[in-house]
Amino acid sequence: MSSLLKDIFAEKLIDDDRIDNPLFTFDVPVFGVSKTCSFLPPKFAFYYQLVVLVVLQSAFNAILGYFVYKFLVERSSTTKTKDNGAMTALTPHLFAYGVAIPLVAMEPIYMMEYLDIKNVGLGMAFLATPINLSLRIAEALYGFVPIPMKENLFNYIIYFSCFFGIDFDTVTKTPKRISSNFISKRLKAIGREYVLMLFLISILHHYDYEFFDTKHHAYGTEHSFHDLFSWQHLLNNYLVAILLSISLSQSSMGVCILYNFFYGFETYEVVQNPMLKSKSVSEFWGKRWNQSVHKGLKNGVYKPTLQYTSSKILGAVVTFAVSGIIHEYVNFVLFYRNGSGQFSSGWNQVIFFGWNGILLALEYCIGHWAIFKWMSRNLPQFVITALVLTCALPLAHLFTGDYIQHGWFDAVYIVEFVVECRDS
């Protein structure tokens, strides 16, 4: 078994040698210069490695989910009506913070080391486990597991084992069965994301993900106040944020289609066009960007904080701070290991998500003002979306910069259909 796994993950997916074997080539004039463009296929080894990875991690998730259900979910239901003393109250916390969360934080690190994973895109798939499961453990600890998921052990293991999100019927409290119509729509959506990625990543990769010239690199932190609001900086951040959004949408739907076929249940869309349709900061983070993590943060961090403090503002700030810490952990694991110890975070993720927590708190405090109500009623949607995004775009390089500097987008580029053009 060990040798089989190492054979499967033998190709490291680092070097991009596809230019020597394009699917086809064509010549095009670009500003009077003849270019030879090659249509390159993805490194298909990535996809069978990803399938094996999903199977391995889902099995681990299911086993841990059984113990989380027994130690936290069932115990939470029984202790609401019965007081068994301080030790009983302490046991769930010891299990959650002393066993379960450290386990999900360390398991992907050991697996990536054991299989010698070098492609950081594949590494990100491993890290879906600690990102989502740590929050699901927290929601179980504090009693905020959604009702359908805690209805029985089967529901919970299905829910806990899935990287992203199984869709449950709130009336029957059972997972929704897939249909041919659902699969058809989902495959069309995945195809759409591949086409969008083909165009956008082919262009941005050519410009090192900085389409417009600026004084500083997109991943730098030395921007002046004036630099942060230059149109070149804002548009560079916007293009990279769109690329990240499409990549997250594509990858999450691609992984979820495996669960759709294997489990026979529907999954919800994780990303719902946040860069073009968001009408407020709360809608961007709460309804459109990475719904799997949003639901985990809401149930595992925001609701417990609100329960203990009764402050929505503090709940929002704490939630975004925890989100920043989780992203720091992810980037450290991904880039420190593959960068031979050269990665240094600078707490960029905490700063970025902390700022967005402040924005959300401001929306709660002043969003009801007449000027904002007038804007929501009278301005076109694309203008409102632009204004919402402008609140965060000046600092968006703190979020996306590590992905550029440490090769995450380059790792994604290797596993996409792309067009690469060179002088004839």
Side-chain angles (χ1 to χ4, degrees):
M1 182 66 175
S2 175
S3 60
L4 176 60
L5 284 176
K6 292 193 175 182
D7 286 343
I8 291 172
F9 290 92
E11 188 169 350
K12 298 310 171 187
L13 304 168
I14 301 174
D15 300 322
D16 190 0
D17 56 1
R18 296 173 297 164
I19 194 68
D20 298 326
N21 297 287
L23 291 178
F24 58 87
T25 62
F26 55 96
D27 294 327
V28 294
V30 179
F31 301 116
V33 178
S34 179
K35 298 277 188 179
T36 298
C37 297
S38 302
F39 189 84
L40 308 179
K43 291 269 192 176
F44 288 107
F46 172 87
Y47 292 95
Y48 67 71
Q49 290 182 9
L50 180 63
V51 171
V52 173
L53 182 159
V54 170
V55 172
L56 291 174
Q57 292 302 102
S58 297
F60 169 81
N61 297 354
I63 294 170
L64 180 60
Y66 171 84
F67 290 101
V68 172
Y69 185 82
K70 290 297 182 179
F71 277 86
L72 300 181
V73 179
E74 278 190 341
R75 187 181 291 266
S76 175
S77 300
T78 57
T79 54
K80 283 182 179 179
T81 56
K82 183 167 59 175
D83 183 9
N84 292 326
M87 193 61 199
T88 299
L90 184 61
T91 301
H93 290 79
L94 290 173
F95 172 76
Y97 291 116
V99 178
I101 291 178
L103 184 61
V104 298
M106 296 304 298
E107 184 268 346
I109 298 175
Y110 287 119
M111 286 297 295
M112 290 167 65
E113 190 69 32
Y114 176 70
L115 298 172
D116 194 25
I117 300 299
K118 296 297 185 182
N119 181 280
V120 292
L122 198 62
M124 181 67 84
F126 270 102
L127 290 168
T129 291
I131 293 171
N132 289 294
L133 265 57
S134 60
L135 296 171
R136 291 176 189 174
I137 292 166
E139 71 179 14
L141 174 64
Y142 295 108
F144 291 105
V145 177
I147 292 175
M149 289 70 159
K150 65 180 180 180
E151 181 70 10
N152 53 57
L153 179 60
F154 174 80
N155 279 13
Y156 192 75
I157 289 180
I158 289 294
Y159 163 66
F160 200 84
S161 64
C162 180
F163 275 25
F164 296 104
I166 299 293
D167 209 0
F168 281 77
D169 189 313
T170 56
V171 177
T172 63
K173 300 178 183 178
T174 58
K176 295 180 181 178
R177 288 283 178 183
I178 60 171
S179 63
S180 57
N181 184 51
F182 172 86
I183 294 297
S184 176
K185 287 183 178 179
R186 190 53 58 90
L187 289 175
K188 288 178 181 176
I190 293 173
R192 175 198 67 209
E193 301 301 282
Y194 267 98
V195 172
L196 292 173
M197 280 294 289
L198 163 65
F199 283 102
L200 191 55
I201 202 168
S202 295
I203 294 170
L204 292 182
H205 177 78
H206 180 75
Y207 291 95
D208 293 326
Y209 310 101
E210 298 178 33
F211 190 80
F212 298 99
D213 291 332
T214 57
K215 293 181 180 179
H216 307 288
H217 288 298
Y219 52 80
T221 57
E222 64 274 23
H223 300 74
S224 68
F225 184 81
H226 179 267
D227 294 333
L228 292 177
F229 290 92
S230 71
W231 65 268
Q232 297 97 329
H233 174 75
L234 293 176
L235 287 178
N236 279 340
N237 282 356
Y238 181 72
L239 289 172
V240 174
I242 287 183
L243 181 63
L244 183 60
S245 174
I246 296 172
S247 178
L248 177 58
S249 177
Q250 176 200 46
S251 58
S252 61
M253 283 195 288
V255 170
C256 282
I257 204 74
L258 299 176
Y259 289 106
N260 299 145
F261 285 117
F262 185 73
Y263 287 175
F265 300 132
E266 291 186 8
T267 49
Y268 56 78
E269 285 194 46
V270 172
V271 181
Q272 300 183 27
N273 206 353
M275 304 302 296
L276 296 176
K277 291 188 175 181
S278 298
K279 297 178 183 177
S280 65
V281 174
S282 58
E283 182 180 345
F284 181 96
W285 292 111
K287 296 181 179 179
R288 298 192 176 277
W289 184 272
N290 202 339
Q291 287 304 286
S292 179
V293 172
H294 161 72
K295 293 175 189 293
L297 286 167
K298 182 178 180 180
N299 294 326
V301 181
Y302 177 77
K303 287 182 178 179
T305 304
L306 184 62
Q307 184 181 56
Y308 283 105
T309 67
S310 301
S311 171
K312 291 183 177 181
I313 294 176
L314 183 59
V317 172
V318 169
T319 300
F320 276 91
V322 170
S323 179
I325 292 170
I326 291 173
H327 283 82
E328 294 285 355
Y329 157 82
V330 168
N331 287 10
F332 181 82
V333 172
L334 276 182
F335 305 134
Y336 185 88
R337 177 177 177 275
N338 287 284
S340 301
Q342 299 303 309
F343 174 72
S344 177
S345 74
W347 297 102
N348 291 345
Q349 303 297 317
V350 171
I351 295 170
F352 173 75
F353 283 98
W355 170 244
N356 279 275
I358 293 171
L359 290 177
L360 196 64
L362 286 172
E363 180 184 317
Y364 176 76
C365 292
I366 65 175
H368 62 280
W369 286 6
I371 180 63
F372 298 116
K373 295 292 185 183
W374 180 90
M375 291 168 67
S376 66
R377 290 193 303 267
N378 294 279
L379 294 180
Q381 180 187 304
F382 76 92
V383 174
I384 295 174
T385 301
L387 291 172
V388 169
L389 296 178
T390 301
C391 294
L393 280 177
L395 298 182
H397 62 288
L398 298 177
F399 180 37
T400 60
D402 288 337
Y403 297 99
I404 297 173
Q405 184 179 12
H406 298 284
W408 188 83
F409 286 117
D410 290 334
V412 172
Y413 182 81
I414 292 175
V415 301
E416 298 284 349
F417 288 99
V418 296
V419 174
E420 190 167 308
C421 296
R422 300 182 178 185
D423 292 339
S424 298

